[in-house]
Amino acid sequence: MRALAIAALIPLTACMPKPPVGPMGALCVTTDTQAFVGRAFSDAVAADVRMATKAATLRAVRPGQMVTMEFDAQRVTVTLDAADTIVRVACG
């Protein structure tokens, strides 16, 4: 009976969402991002941050800007100050 119940659940696992994977095959990682803190934000720096973190997307957050609070493991969030200088790099 137990085997029958387990067998009935197996097809349901095919409908479960698979964990997201970034374009480089991994989720966002922030192991070596401290080097970006203090740099002026630009398109080139944004591309470097995305490559360093393996993130699928990048979100730049400026002072006073409203953002969603959802966590996205494929996104890197770059927090900027009023002069567009990077003050923080974090996944999510």
Side-chain angles (χ1 to χ4, degrees):
M1 190 64 141
R2 185 178 204 164
L4 182 60
I6 292 172
L9 293 176
I10 290 175
L12 295 177
T13 60
C15 298
M16 294 180 67
K18 298 191 177 21
V21 177
M24 297 180 190
L27 300 176
C28 176
V29 292
T30 55
T31 53
D32 295 322
T33 56
Q34 193 62 29
F36 295 106
V37 175
R39 291 180 62 183
F41 186 72
S42 67
D43 289 341
V45 171
D48 290 345
V49 170
R50 278 194 57 217
M51 185 173 292
T53 60
K54 299 178 177 69
T57 58
L58 181 139
R59 171 173 68 174
V61 180
R62 291 174 171 80
Q65 180 178 342
M66 295 180 68
V67 294
T68 61
M69 295 300 292
E70 94 237 29
F71 181 82
D72 181 349
Q74 293 187 43
R75 177 179 60 208
V76 62
T77 299
V78 178
T79 305
L80 307 172
D81 66 10
D84 269 2
T85 301
I86 298 173
V87 295
R88 183 172 182 249
V89 178
C91 290

Coordinates of all heavy atoms in Angstrom, one line a residue:
M1 N 0.8 -1.2 0.0 CA 0.0 0.0 0.0 C 0.9 1.3 0.0 O 0.6 2.2 -0.7 CB -0.9 0.0 1.2 CG -2.0 1.0 1.2 SD -3.1 0.7 -0.2 CE -4.6 1.1 0.4
R2 N 1.9 1.2 0.8 CA 2.8 2.4 0.9 C 3.5 2.6 -0.4 O 3.7 3.8 -0.9 CB 3.8 2.2 2.0 CG 4.7 3.3 2.2 CD 5.7 3.0 3.4 NE 6.1 4.3 3.9 CZ 6.6 4.5 5.1 NH1 6.9 3.4 5.8 NH2 7.0 5.7 5.5
A3 N 3.9 1.6 -1.1 CA 4.6 1.7 -2.4 C 3.6 2.3 -3.4 O 4.0 3.1 -4.3 CB 5.1 0.3 -2.9
L4 N 2.3 2.0 -3.3 CA 1.4 2.5 -4.3 C 1.2 4.0 -4.0 O 1.1 4.8 -5.0 CB 0.0 1.8 -4.1 CG -1.1 2.2 -5.0 CD1 -0.7 2.0 -6.4 CD2 -2.4 1.5 -4.7
A5 N 1.2 4.4 -2.8 CA 1.1 5.9 -2.5 C 2.3 6.6 -3.0 O 2.1 7.7 -3.5 CB 0.9 6.0 -1.0
I6 N 3.4 6.1 -2.8 CA 4.7 6.7 -3.3 C 4.6 6.8 -4.8 O 5.0 7.8 -5.4 CB 5.9 6.0 -2.8 CG1 6.0 6.2 -1.2 CG2 7.2 6.5 -3.5 CD1 7.1 5.4 -0.6
A7 N 4.2 5.7 -5.4 CA 4.2 5.7 -6.9 C 3.2 6.7 -7.4 O 3.4 7.3 -8.5 CB 3.8 4.3 -7.4
A8 N 2.1 7.0 -6.7 CA 1.1 8.0 -7.1 C 1.7 9.4 -7.1 O 1.3 10.3 -7.8 CB -0.1 7.8 -6.3
L9 N 2.7 9.6 -6.2 CA 3.2 11.0 -6.0 C 4.3 11.3 -7.0 O 4.6 12.4 -7.3 CB 3.8 11.1 -4.6 CG 2.7 11.2 -3.5 CD1 3.4 11.2 -2.1 CD2 1.8 12.3 -3.7
I10 N 5.0 10.3 -7.6 CA 6.1 10.5 -8.5 C 5.7 11.4 -9.7 O 6.5 12.3 -10.0 CB 6.7 9.1 -9.0 CG1 7.4 8.5 -7.8 CG2 7.6 9.3 -10.1 CD1 7.9 7.1 -8.0
P11 N 4.6 11.2 -10.3 CA 4.3 12.1 -11.5 C 4.1 13.6 -11.0 O 4.3 14.5 -11.8 CB 2.9 11.5 -12.0 CG 2.9 10.1 -11.5 CD 3.6 10.1 -10.3
L12 N 3.7 13.8 -9.8 CA 3.6 15.2 -9.3 C 4.9 15.9 -9.2 O 5.0 17.1 -9.3 CB 2.9 15.2 -7.9 CG 1.5 14.7 -7.9 CD1 0.9 14.7 -6.5 CD2 0.6 15.6 -8.8
T13 N 6.0 15.2 -9.0 CA 7.3 15.8 -8.9 C 7.7 16.5 -10.3 O 8.5 17.4 -10.3 CB 8.4 14.9 -8.5 OG1 8.5 13.8 -9.4 CG2 8.1 14.3 -7.1
A14 N 7.2 16.0 -11.4 CA 7.5 16.6 -12.7 C 6.9 18.0 -12.8 O 7.4 18.8 -13.5 CB 7.0 15.7 -13.8
C15 N 5.9 18.3 -12.0 CA 5.2 19.6 -12.1 C 5.9 20.6 -11.1 O 5.5 21.8 -11.2 CB 3.7 19.5 -11.7 SG 2.8 18.4 -12.9
M16 N 6.7 20.2 -10.2 CA 7.3 21.0 -9.3 C 8.3 22.0 -10.0 O 9.0 21.5 -10.9 CB 8.0 20.2 -8.2 CG 7.1 19.5 -7.3 SD 7.9 18.5 -6.0 CE 8.5 19.8 -5.0
P17 N 8.4 23.2 -9.6 CA 9.4 24.1 -10.2 C 10.8 23.7 -9.9 O 11.1 23.3 -8.8 CB 9.0 25.5 -9.6 CG 8.4 25.2 -8.3 CD 7.7 23.9 -8.5
K18 N 11.6 23.9 -10.9 CA 13.0 23.5 -10.8 C 13.8 24.8 -10.2 O 13.4 25.9 -10.5 CB 13.6 23.1 -12.1 CG 12.9 21.8 -12.6 CD 13.6 21.2 -13.7 CE 13.0 20.0 -14.2 NZ 11.7 19.6 -13.9
P19 N 14.8 24.6 -9.5 CA 15.5 25.8 -8.9 C 16.1 26.6 -10.1 O 16.5 26.1 -11.1 CB 16.7 25.2 -8.1 CG 16.7 23.8 -8.4 CD 15.4 23.4 -9.1
P20 N 16.0 28.0 -10.0 CA 16.5 28.8 -11.0 C 18.0 28.7 -11.2 O 18.8 28.5 -10.2 CB 16.1 30.2 -10.6 CG 16.0 30.1 -9.1 CD 15.6 28.7 -8.8
V21 N 18.5 28.9 -12.4 CA 19.9 28.8 -12.7 C 20.2 30.0 -13.6 O 19.5 30.3 -14.6 CB 20.3 27.5 -13.5 CG1 21.7 27.5 -13.8 CG2 20.0 26.3 -12.6
G22 N 21.3 30.7 -13.3 CA 21.7 31.9 -14.1 C 22.2 31.6 -15.4 O 22.4 30.4 -15.7
P23 N 22.5 32.6 -16.2 CA 23.0 32.3 -17.6 C 24.3 31.6 -17.6 O 24.7 31.0 -18.6 CB 23.1 33.7 -18.2 CG 23.2 34.6 -17.0 CD 22.5 34.0 -15.9
M24 N 25.1 31.7 -16.6 CA 26.4 31.1 -16.6 C 26.4 29.7 -15.8 O 27.4 29.2 -15.5 CB 27.5 32.0 -15.9 CG 27.7 33.3 -16.7 SD 28.9 34.3 -15.9 CE 28.7 35.8 -16.8
G25 N 25.2 29.3 -15.5 CA 25.0 28.0 -14.9 C 25.0 28.0 -13.4 O 25.1 27.0 -12.7
A26 N 25.0 29.2 -12.7 CA 25.0 29.2 -11.3 C 24.2 30.4 -10.8 O 23.8 31.3 -11.5 CB 26.5 29.4 -10.8
L27 N 23.9 30.3 -9.5 CA 23.2 31.4 -8.8 C 24.2 32.5 -8.5 O 25.4 32.3 -8.5 CB 22.4 30.9 -7.6 CG 21.4 29.7 -7.9 CD1 20.9 29.2 -6.6 CD2 20.3 30.2 -8.8
C28 N 23.6 33.6 -8.1 CA 24.5 34.8 -7.7 C 25.4 34.4 -6.5 O 24.9 33.8 -5.6 CB 23.6 36.0 -7.3 SG 24.4 37.4 -6.7
V29 N 26.6 34.8 -6.6 CA 27.6 34.6 -5.5 C 28.3 35.9 -5.3 O 28.7 36.6 -6.3 CB 28.6 33.5 -5.8 CG1 27.9 32.1 -5.8 CG2 29.3 33.7 -7.1
T30 N 28.6 36.3 -4.1 CA 29.3 37.6 -3.8 C 30.6 37.4 -3.0 O 30.9 38.1 -2.1 CB 28.4 38.5 -3.0 OG1 27.9 37.9 -1.8 CG2 27.2 39.0 -3.8
T31 N 31.4 36.4 -3.5 CA 32.6 36.2 -2.8 C 33.7 37.2 -3.0 O 34.4 37.6 -2.1 CB 33.2 34.8 -3.1 OG1 33.3 34.7 -4.6 CG2 32.3 33.7 -2.6
D32 N 33.8 37.8 -4.2 CA 34.9 38.7 -4.5 C 34.3 40.0 -5.0 O 34.8 40.6 -6.0 CB 35.8 38.2 -5.5 CG 36.6 36.9 -5.0 OD1 37.0 36.9 -3.9 OD2 36.8 36.0 -5.8
T33 N 33.3 40.6 -4.3 CA 32.7 41.8 -4.8 C 33.1 43.0 -4.0 O 32.8 44.1 -4.4 CB 31.2 41.7 -4.7 OG1 30.8 41.4 -3.3 CG2 30.7 40.6 -5.6
Q34 N 33.9 42.9 -3.0 CA 34.4 44.1 -2.2 C 35.2 45.0 -3.0 O 35.1 46.2 -2.8 CB 35.2 43.6 -1.0 CG 35.4 44.6 0.1 CD 34.1 45.2 0.7 OE1 33.1 44.5 0.8 NE2 34.1 46.4 1.1
A35 N 35.8 44.6 -4.1 CA 36.6 45.4 -4.9 C 35.7 46.4 -5.7 O 36.2 47.5 -6.1 CB 37.4 44.6 -5.9
F36 N 34.4 46.2 -5.8 CA 33.6 47.1 -6.5 C 33.1 48.3 -5.6 O 32.7 49.3 -6.1 CB 32.3 46.4 -7.1 CG 32.7 45.4 -8.1 CD1 32.7 44.0 -7.9 CD2 33.1 45.8 -9.4 CE1 33.0 43.1 -8.9 CE2 33.4 44.9 -10.4 CZ 33.4 43.6 -10.1
V37 N 33.1 48.1 -4.3 CA 32.7 49.1 -3.4 C 33.6 50.3 -3.5 O 34.9 50.2 -3.5 CB 32.7 48.6 -1.9 CG1 32.3 49.7 -0.9 CG2 31.6 47.5 -1.8
G38 N 33.0 51.5 -3.7 CA 33.8 52.7 -3.8 C 34.0 53.1 -5.3 O 34.5 54.2 -5.5
R39 N 33.7 52.3 -6.2 CA 33.8 52.6 -7.6 C 32.6 53.3 -8.1 O 31.5 53.1 -7.7 CB 34.0 51.3 -8.5 CG 35.4 50.6 -8.2 CD 35.6 49.4 -9.0 NE 35.6 49.7 -10.4 CZ 35.7 48.7 -11.4 NH1 35.8 47.4 -11.0 NH2 35.6 49.0 -12.6
A40 N 32.8 54.2 -9.1 CA 31.7 54.9 -9.8 C 30.9 53.8 -10.6 O 31.5 53.0 -11.3 CB 32.2 56.0 -10.7
F41 N 29.6 53.9 -10.5 CA 28.7 53.0 -11.2 C 28.6 53.4 -12.7 O 28.4 54.6 -13.0 CB 27.3 52.9 -10.6 CG 26.5 51.9 -11.2 CD1 26.7 50.5 -10.9 CD2 25.4 52.2 -12.0 CE1 25.8 49.6 -11.4 CE2 24.5 51.3 -12.5 CZ 24.8 49.9 -12.2
S42 N 28.7 52.4 -13.6 CA 28.6 52.7 -15.0 C 28.1 51.4 -15.7 O 28.1 50.3 -15.0 CB 29.9 53.1 -15.7 OG 30.9 52.0 -15.6
D43 N 27.8 51.4 -17.0 CA 27.4 50.2 -17.7 C 28.5 49.2 -17.7 O 28.3 48.0 -17.5 CB 27.0 50.5 -19.1 CG 25.7 51.3 -19.2 OD1 24.9 51.2 -18.2 OD2 25.4 51.9 -20.2
A44 N 29.8 49.6 -17.8 CA 30.9 48.7 -17.8 C 31.1 48.0 -16.5 O 31.3 46.8 -16.4 CB 32.2 49.4 -18.3
V45 N 31.0 48.8 -15.4 CA 31.1 48.3 -14.1 C 29.9 47.3 -13.8 O 30.1 46.3 -13.2 CB 31.2 49.4 -13.0 CG1 31.1 48.9 -11.6 CG2 32.5 50.2 -13.2
A46 N 28.7 47.7 -14.2 CA 27.6 46.8 -14.0 C 27.8 45.4 -14.7 O 27.5 44.4 -14.1 CB 26.3 47.4 -14.6
A47 N 28.4 45.4 -15.9 CA 28.7 44.2 -16.6 C 29.8 43.4 -15.8 O 29.7 42.2 -15.7 CB 29.2 44.5 -18.0
D48 N 30.8 44.1 -15.3 CA 31.8 43.4 -14.5 C 31.2 42.8 -13.2 O 31.6 41.7 -12.8 CB 32.9 44.4 -14.1 CG 33.8 44.8 -15.3 OD1 33.7 44.2 -16.4 OD2 34.5 45.8 -15.2
V49 N 30.3 43.5 -12.6 CA 29.6 43.0 -11.4 C 28.8 41.7 -11.7 O 28.9 40.7 -11.0 CB 28.7 44.0 -10.7 CG1 27.9 43.4 -9.6 CG2 29.6 45.2 -10.1
R50 N 28.1 41.8 -12.8 CA 27.3 40.6 -13.2 C 28.2 39.4 -13.5 O 27.9 38.3 -13.1 CB 26.4 41.0 -14.4 CG 25.1 41.7 -14.1 CD 24.1 41.7 -15.2 NE 23.8 40.4 -15.6 CZ 23.6 40.1 -16.9 NH1 23.6 41.0 -17.8 NH2 23.3 38.8 -17.2
M51 N 29.3 39.7 -14.2 CA 30.2 38.6 -14.5 C 30.8 38.0 -13.2 O 30.9 36.8 -13.1 CB 31.3 39.0 -15.5 CG 32.2 37.9 -15.9 SD 33.3 38.4 -17.2 CE 32.2 38.7 -18.5
A52 N 31.2 38.9 -12.3 CA 31.9 38.4 -11.1 C 30.9 37.6 -10.2 O 31.3 36.7 -9.5 CB 32.4 39.6 -10.3
T53 N 29.6 38.0 -10.2 CA 28.7 37.4 -9.3 C 27.9 36.2 -10.0 O 27.1 35.5 -9.4 CB 27.7 38.4 -8.8 OG1 27.0 39.0 -9.9 CG2 28.3 39.4 -8.0
K54 N 28.1 36.1 -11.3 CA 27.3 35.1 -12.1 C 25.8 35.3 -12.1 O 25.0 34.4 -12.3 CB 27.6 33.7 -11.7 CG 29.1 33.3 -11.8 CD 29.3 31.9 -11.3 CE 30.7 31.4 -11.5 NZ 31.7 32.1 -10.7
A55 N 25.4 36.6 -11.8 CA 24.0 36.9 -11.7 C 23.3 37.0 -13.1 O 23.9 37.5 -14.0 CB 23.8 38.2 -10.9
A56 N 22.1 36.6 -13.2 CA 21.3 36.8 -14.4 C 20.9 38.2 -14.6 O 20.8 38.7 -15.7 CB 20.1 35.9 -14.4
T57 N 20.6 38.9 -13.5 CA 20.2 40.3 -13.6 C 20.9 41.2 -12.6 O 21.4 40.6 -11.6 CB 18.6 40.5 -13.4 OG1 18.3 39.9 -12.1 CG2 17.9 39.7 -14.5
L58 N 20.9 42.5 -12.8 CA 21.5 43.4 -11.9 C 20.4 44.5 -11.6 O 19.8 45.0 -12.5 CB 22.7 44.0 -12.5 CG 23.4 45.0 -11.6 CD1 24.9 44.8 -11.7 CD2 23.1 46.5 -11.9
R59 N 20.3 44.9 -10.3 CA 19.5 45.9 -9.9 C 20.3 47.0 -9.2 O 21.0 46.7 -8.2 CB 18.4 45.4 -9.0 CG 17.5 46.5 -8.3 CD 16.4 45.9 -7.5 NE 16.8 45.2 -6.3 CZ 16.0 44.7 -5.4 NH1 14.7 44.8 -5.6 NH2 16.5 44.0 -4.4
A60 N 20.3 48.2 -9.7 CA 21.0 49.3 -9.1 C 19.9 50.1 -8.2 O 18.9 50.5 -8.7 CB 21.6 50.2 -10.1
V61 N 20.3 50.3 -7.0 CA 19.4 51.0 -6.1 C 20.0 52.3 -5.6 O 21.1 52.3 -5.0 CB 19.0 50.1 -4.9 CG1 18.1 50.8 -3.9 CG2 18.4 48.8 -5.3
R62 N 19.3 53.4 -5.9 CA 19.8 54.7 -5.5 C 19.1 55.2 -4.2 O 18.0 54.6 -3.9 CB 19.6 55.7 -6.7 CG 20.5 55.4 -7.8 CD 20.2 56.2 -9.1 NE 21.2 56.0 -10.1 CZ 21.3 54.9 -10.9 NH1 20.4 54.0 -10.9 NH2 22.3 54.8 -11.8
P63 N 19.7 56.2 -3.5 CA 19.0 56.6 -2.3 C 17.6 57.0 -2.5 O 17.3 57.7 -3.5 CB 19.9 57.8 -1.9 CG 21.2 57.6 -2.5 CD 20.9 56.9 -3.8
G64 N 16.7 56.6 -1.6 CA 15.3 56.9 -1.7 C 14.5 56.2 -2.7 O 13.3 56.3 -2.7
Q65 N 15.1 55.3 -3.5 CA 14.4 54.6 -4.5 C 13.6 53.4 -3.8 O 14.2 52.7 -3.0 CB 15.4 54.0 -5.5 CG 14.7 53.2 -6.6 CD 15.8 52.7 -7.6 OE1 16.9 53.2 -7.7 NE2 15.4 51.7 -8.4
M66 N 12.4 53.2 -4.2 CA 11.6 52.2 -3.7 C 11.9 50.9 -4.5 O 12.1 50.9 -5.7 CB 10.1 52.5 -3.8 CG 9.7 53.6 -3.0 SD 7.9 54.0 -3.1 CE 7.2 52.6 -2.3
V67 N 12.0 49.8 -3.8 CA 12.3 48.5 -4.4 C 11.5 47.4 -3.8 O 11.0 47.6 -2.6 CB 13.8 48.1 -4.3 CG1 14.7 49.1 -5.0 CG2 14.2 48.0 -2.8
T68 N 11.3 46.3 -4.5 CA 10.5 45.2 -3.9 C 11.4 44.5 -2.9 O 12.7 44.6 -3.0 CB 10.1 44.2 -5.1 OG1 11.3 43.7 -5.7 CG2 9.2 44.9 -6.1
M69 N 10.8 43.8 -2.0 CA 11.6 43.1 -1.0 C 11.7 41.6 -1.3 O 12.2 40.8 -0.5 CB 10.9 43.2 0.4 CG 10.9 44.6 0.9 SD 12.5 45.4 1.1 CE 13.1 44.4 2.5
E70 N 11.3 41.1 -2.5 CA 11.4 39.7 -2.8 C 12.9 39.4 -3.0 O 13.6 40.2 -3.5 CB 10.6 39.3 -4.1 CG 11.4 39.4 -5.3 CD 10.8 40.3 -6.4 OE1 10.2 41.3 -6.1 OE2 11.1 40.0 -7.5
F71 N 13.2 38.2 -2.7 CA 14.6 37.7 -2.9 C 14.6 36.9 -4.2 O 13.8 36.1 -4.5 CB 15.0 36.7 -1.7 CG 16.4 36.2 -1.9 CD1 17.5 37.0 -1.5 CD2 16.7 35.0 -2.4 CE1 18.8 36.6 -1.6 CE2 18.0 34.6 -2.6 CZ 19.0 35.4 -2.2
D72 N 15.6 37.3 -5.0 CA 15.8 36.6 -6.3 C 17.3 36.1 -6.3 O 18.2 36.9 -6.4 CB 15.6 37.6 -7.5 CG 15.7 37.0 -8.8 OD1 16.3 35.8 -8.9 OD2 15.4 37.6 -9.8
A73 N 17.5 34.8 -6.2 CA 18.8 34.3 -6.1 C 19.6 34.5 -7.4 O 20.8 34.3 -7.4 CB 18.7 32.8 -5.8
Q74 N 19.0 34.9 -8.5 CA 19.7 35.1 -9.7 C 20.1 36.6 -9.9 O 20.7 36.9 -10.9 CB 18.9 34.6 -10.9 CG 18.7 33.2 -11.0 CD 18.0 32.8 -12.3 OE1 18.3 33.3 -13.3 NE2 17.0 31.9 -12.2
R75 N 19.7 37.4 -9.0 CA 19.9 38.9 -9.1 C 21.0 39.4 -8.2 O 21.1 39.0 -7.0 CB 18.6 39.6 -8.9 CG 18.7 41.1 -8.9 CD 17.4 41.8 -8.7 NE 16.9 41.5 -7.4 CZ 15.6 41.5 -7.0 NH1 14.7 41.8 -7.9 NH2 15.2 41.2 -5.8
V76 N 21.8 40.3 -8.6 CA 22.7 41.0 -7.8 C 22.2 42.5 -7.6 O 21.7 43.1 -8.6 CB 24.1 41.0 -8.3 CG1 24.3 41.7 -9.7 CG2 25.1 41.7 -7.3
T77 N 22.1 42.9 -6.4 CA 21.7 44.3 -6.1 C 22.9 45.1 -5.7 O 23.7 44.8 -4.8 CB 20.7 44.3 -4.9 OG1 19.5 43.5 -5.3 CG2 20.2 45.7 -4.6
V78 N 23.1 46.2 -6.5 CA 24.1 47.2 -6.2 C 23.5 48.4 -5.6 O 22.7 49.1 -6.2 CB 24.9 47.5 -7.6 CG1 26.0 48.5 -7.3 CG2 25.4 46.3 -8.2
T79 N 23.9 48.7 -4.4 CA 23.4 49.9 -3.7 C 24.4 51.1 -4.0 O 25.6 50.9 -3.8 CB 23.3 49.6 -2.2 OG1 22.5 48.5 -2.0 CG2 22.7 50.8 -1.5
L80 N 23.8 52.2 -4.4 CA 24.6 53.4 -4.7 C 24.3 54.5 -3.8 O 23.2 54.6 -3.2 CB 24.2 53.8 -6.2 CG 24.3 52.7 -7.3 CD1 23.8 53.3 -8.6 CD2 25.7 52.3 -7.4
D81 N 25.3 55.4 -3.7 CA 25.0 56.7 -2.9 C 24.6 57.8 -3.9 O 24.3 57.5 -5.1 CB 26.3 57.1 -2.1 CG 27.5 57.5 -3.0 OD1 27.3 57.6 -4.2 OD2 28.5 57.7 -2.4
A82 N 24.4 59.0 -3.4 CA 23.9 60.1 -4.2 C 24.8 60.4 -5.4 O 24.3 61.0 -6.4 CB 23.7 61.3 -3.3
A83 N 26.1 60.1 -5.3 CA 27.0 60.4 -6.4 C 27.2 59.2 -7.3 O 28.1 59.1 -8.1 CB 28.4 60.8 -5.8
D84 N 26.3 58.2 -7.2 CA 26.4 56.9 -8.0 C 27.7 56.1 -7.8 O 28.2 55.5 -8.7 CB 26.2 57.2 -9.5 CG 24.8 57.1 -10.0 OD1 23.9 56.9 -9.1 OD2 24.5 57.2 -11.2
T85 N 28.1 56.2 -6.5 CA 29.3 55.4 -6.1 C 28.7 54.1 -5.4 O 27.8 54.2 -4.6 CB 30.2 56.2 -5.1 OG1 30.6 57.3 -5.8 CG2 31.4 55.3 -4.7
I86 N 29.3 53.0 -5.7 CA 28.8 51.7 -5.1 C 29.2 51.7 -3.7 O 30.3 51.8 -3.3 CB 29.4 50.5 -5.9 CG1 29.0 50.5 -7.4 CG2 29.0 49.2 -5.2 CD1 29.7 49.5 -8.2
V87 N 28.2 51.4 -2.8 CA 28.4 51.3 -1.4 C 28.1 49.9 -0.9 O 28.6 49.5 0.2 CB 27.5 52.3 -0.6 CG1 27.9 53.7 -0.9 CG2 26.1 52.1 -0.8
R88 N 27.5 49.0 -1.7 CA 27.2 47.6 -1.3 C 26.8 46.8 -2.5 O 26.2 47.3 -3.5 CB 26.0 47.6 -0.3 CG 25.7 46.3 0.2 CD 24.6 46.4 1.3 NE 24.3 45.1 1.9 CZ 23.2 44.5 1.7 NH1 22.2 45.0 1.0 NH2 23.0 43.3 2.2
V89 N 27.3 45.6 -2.5 CA 26.9 44.6 -3.6 C 26.4 43.3 -2.8 O 27.1 42.8 -2.0 CB 28.2 44.2 -4.4 CG1 27.8 43.2 -5.5 CG2 28.7 45.5 -5.1
A90 N 25.2 42.9 -3.2 CA 24.6 41.8 -2.5 C 23.7 41.0 -3.4 O 23.1 41.6 -4.3 CB 23.8 42.3 -1.3
C91 N 23.6 39.7 -3.2 CA 22.7 38.9 -4.0 C 21.3 39.1 -3.5 O 21.1 39.4 -2.3 CB 23.1 37.4 -3.9 SG 24.6 37.0 -4.7
G92 N 20.3 39.0 -4.4 CA 18.9 39.1 -3.9 C 18.2 40.1 -4.6 O 17.9 40.7 -5.5

